Amino acid sequence: MRITGAQALIKSLEMQGVEVIFGLPGGAILPVYDPIIDSPIRHILVRHEQGAGHAAEGYAQVTGRPGVAMVTSGPGATNIVTPLANAYMDSTPLVVVSGQVATGSIGTDAFQECPITGVTMDITKHNWLVTDAADIPRTVAAAFHVATTGRPGPVLIDVPKDISNAQMEWYWPQTVEDLDLPGYHPNIEGDPELVHRAAEMILEASRPVIYAGGGILKASGAQALYELAVRTGIPVVTTLMARGAFPDSHPLCLGMPGMHGNYTAVTAMQRADLLLAIGSRFDDRVTGKVSAFAPGAKVVHVDIDPAELGKVRRAEVAIAGDARAVMEEMLEALGSMGIGPEGSAPESGSPAARRPDLRPWISEIRGWQERYPLTYDRSGDTGVLKPQQVVESLRDAAEPGTIVVSGVGQHQMWASQWWRFEEPYTWVNSGGAGTMGFAVPAAIGAKVGRPERAVWAIDGDGCFQMTAQELVTASAERIPVKVAILNNAYLGMVRQWQEMFYEERYSEVYLSPDLPDYVKWAEAMGCVGLRVESPEEVGPAIDKANSIDDRPVVVDFRTDAFEKVYPMVPAGHSNDDIVVSPTEEGAR
Amino acid sequence: MTAVEYGQPVGQPHPLHHILSVLVENKSGVLARVASLFSRRGFNISSLAVAPTDDEHLSRITIVVDVASAPLEQVVKQLDKLVNVVSISELAPEEATERELLLATLSAGPLERGQIVQLVGIFGGQVVDVGADAITVVLAGAPSKVDDFEDLLRPLGIVELQRTGRVALPRLHRLR
């Protein structure tokens, strides 16, 4: 069957099971947009290519399937560079197809020419410039294989216009060997000897902590994590990327560690004698000053990416493998050492029976939880609306399984701290890259991926202004996301740092609560716009927002501009220097 | 067995000197990916040689890099993640046969040629071009030997000199 390269490209996406493409057409990608008309794949026309990329990320994060975005050459392609960098940092599987000028024009500074494979070389897992239409099916199949296996990540396929127009004989590669990837062999299984050694260390530890990272979610490992935690009785911290991987309501869940983690999660890691780091990467926002991080802990580090092992902290046992596969191997090894099902006593005479008693450790942890709970000033004396109260009210009114999406900054930390994540894939945010403006388009992608779920974007006013135009996309495509703007009229996190570390010299952080008028803006974009100025208006506004399911809703919550995120470990300090909120101090 | 005829570098090898032999797919852009990875991680490539292997689908990049071993481990692991990189081996200097090539043009009239030809002969090099008042010589050898040759050539009036990056293969095990 002779078809064009463009037809082969769309057909290849269909073969991969793609159900939706987020994109925006232009000159060089024109040939590829023609067969989209005849394809069952849904195309969602964004208003800016950055929106296409983040929407594809949101889709990928909630479905576990790769997100797909399509853009034209030149500025179309450069506009999606930020989402590629973001997806690379957060290991999100993304396949971006970009148009390119005709092969004969490459290198001539042609109209809308940009060497996007060169630009994105260091922020994609791999990229391809297609130079022969016959390569298209194989390249697409290879791109999806690379994006979704091993440590997932974004890939880009750059397709010159003449290649899209050229004829080719259709085929579809049948096996991985057909993909021409001689240097790509991701490892899955952990080395059994190392797993055995890790299991022994688990049974030797008296102050163990599971340091659960986003890799667990990438590996569909939440169930294995649950088994590992409950069968061993080891408490779990869930990093920003792993919120939801272990239920917040479980007594063993200590919540989020790190710069704005809660006191107990941070301190338990500092005092641990064993850290089981699974799918986590000792990010600087978690460790604080590395040399002072968890000084008494031996480390078992499990990661599918061997380059993460030993990159920041040398592990006593470093296991390269898929988080889920290795946890299952660990459970088997622990079983053979006498660890039974949840709640059962260890087999008598087994190594597990000689295990140190964890009760003193758990009781020490309970002490921290009682003395230093997350708090904020709830008195409401001033009549000022606290951002944390908004998050709590949204949480309490949310139906189970609601997906929460955030941008980057104070609102992100409050959302992560104050929401209660009970199941995996209900939390979508920009972790490693810290991309402001992520929330609105990512929420759209999440809602497209899980249309049966309620999707709330908890956004900041600064973030919202970066990508709000995608609410036009949401209205046009009938994607009823809800956006809560925690409008404190500032670039709040920067303001917080200027207050704390720059002697309250506020440089270029004021945004104004009224400019723009968020309600009018929302209405202009086809959304319902609501405004909340006092604590008592919160509940009714949220109820109204939750009752609307035929269009997007934006709620402008006017929140306290002076509220800061606590606890906080100042950058570059030891986690022992954690600063709790003034209200926590009072409770001591 | 002539593999070690010219000997290995004399004395202690430089402690930070590492040779990476990287087998890559012979495709456009692969060298850029490899080089970019080094610059992104803040490492300076001290020398580099790249050429196709006996298999036309593969090229070998030989990289000499000066770093401590801990960061090198990170570079090797990151390199290994490049989809086009098929395999990497690190060659310890004492475990490798290394070669570089030197081409030099020296200003030399008929009277000075003899001295140069004699030196070239001692080192096992070759005269590859002769002009009225200049001579071009070539030497392939272990890097330290090429260094020595260059030092001895220098007072003889170098007009132009070009050295290649280093290429290396593992030394062979012998029966003893």
Side-chain angles (χ1 to χ4, degrees), chain A residues 88 121-122 125-127 146 151 180-184 305-307 309 311 314, chain B residues 25 27 29 32-33 36-37 40 73-74 77-78 80-86:
Chain A
Y88 192 59
M121 185 183 288
D122 287 337
K125 195 170 165 188
H126 194 57
N127 60 28
V146 170
R151 180 178 183 167
D180 189 23
L181 295 168
Y184 184 71
D305 179 357
L309 305 173
K311 184 180 84 176
R314 181 126 324 242
Chain B
E25 290 182 76
K27 287 183 174 169
R33 290 175 198 275
S36 177
L37 193 137
R40 180 178 159 215
E73 180 189 326
Q74 179 59 205
K77 284 174 165 179
Q78 295 290 352
D80 204 28
K81 282 164 65 175
L82 293 180
V83 167
N84 297 131
V85 169
V86 176

Side-chain angles (χ1 to χ4, degrees), chain A residues 57 60-61 64-67 84-95 123-126 143-155 184 186-188 214-220 241 279 281 303-306 308 321-323 425, chain B residues 81 83:
Chain A
E57 290 182 85
Q61 284 197 29
R65 297 195 293 273
L84 285 169
N86 190 79
Y88 192 59
M89 287 291 261
D90 287 347
S91 307
T92 304
L94 207 61
V95 177
I123 52 167
T124 51
K125 195 170 165 188
H126 194 57
F144 277 80
H145 181 64
V146 170
T148 55
T149 53
R151 180 178 183 167
V155 298
Y184 184 71
N187 52 314
I188 302 294
I216 290 173
L217 293 173
K218 300 297 189 301
S220 307
M241 294 307 296
R281 61 182 178 87
D303 204 292
I304 197 158
D305 179 357
E308 289 300 341
D322 172 85
Y425 315 111
Chain B
K81 282 164 65 175
V83 167

Side-chain angles (χ1 to χ4, degrees), chain A residues 27-285:
Chain A
I29 197 76
L30 262 170
V32 183
Y33 267 80
D34 187 71
I36 285 178
I37 295 174
D38 306 315
S39 172
I41 298 175
R42 178 182 185 189
H43 182 278
I44 291 175
L45 175 62
V46 295
R47 266 50 179 178
H48 185 290
E49 290 89 348
Q50 184 186 358
H54 292 324
E57 290 182 85
Y59 175 89
Q61 284 197 29
V62 299
T63 62
R65 297 195 293 273
V68 180
M70 191 173 287
V71 297
T72 194
S73 64
T78 55
N79 278 345
I80 208 160
V81 165
T82 297
L84 285 169
N86 190 79
Y88 192 59
M89 287 291 261
D90 287 347
S91 307
T92 304
L94 207 61
V95 177
V96 172
V97 178
S98 55
Q100 181 55 277
V101 301
T103 46
S105 300
I106 288 177
T108 67
D109 301 322
F111 178 65
Q112 290 191 332
E113 182 187 355
C114 168
I116 198 65
T117 49
V119 170
T120 60
M121 185 183 288
D122 287 337
I123 52 167
T124 51
K125 195 170 165 188
H126 194 57
N127 60 28
W128 290 262
L129 171 65
V130 182
T131 54
D132 184 344
D135 291 340
I136 286 175
R138 181 169 51 245
T139 305
V140 171
F144 277 80
H145 181 64
V146 170
T148 55
T149 53
R151 180 178 183 167
V155 298
L156 177 137
I157 308 172
D158 199 24
V159 188
K161 193 171 187 179
D162 58 323
I163 302 298
S164 296
N165 284 326
Q167 294 280 317
M168 58 84 69
E169 181 68 28
W170 170 256
Y171 65 95
W172 185 245
Q174 298 301 315
T175 66
V176 172
E177 284 68 42
D178 294 338
L179 301 182
D180 189 23
L181 295 168
Y184 184 71
H185 308 286
N187 52 314
I188 302 294
E189 305 292 325
D191 179 329
E193 264 180 50
L194 294 175
V195 171
H196 186 84
R197 177 70 198 119
E200 286 176 342
M201 286 168 69
I202 288 172
L203 297 187
E204 288 159 11
S206 51
R207 308 162 71 86
V209 172
I210 296 175
Y211 162 25
I216 290 173
L217 293 173
K218 300 297 189 301
S220 307
Q223 187 57 40
L225 171 66
Y226 188 86
E227 287 295 318
L228 184 64
V230 299
R231 286 173 61 181
T232 57
I234 299 178
V236 181
V237 301
T238 50
T239 67
L240 183 67
M241 294 307 296
R243 304 288 289 129
F246 190 72
D248 275 340
S249 60
H250 196 283
L252 286 173
C253 190
L254 307 186
M256 182 174 74
M259 179 175 270
H260 293 295
N262 72 75
Y263 184 91
T264 303
V266 171
T267 307
M269 291 175 91
Q270 287 301 95
R271 303 284 170 268
D273 68 351
L274 175 69
L275 281 184
L276 277 173
I278 303 172
S280 47
R281 61 182 178 87
F282 296 85
D283 178 76
D284 57 77
R285 286 305 190 257

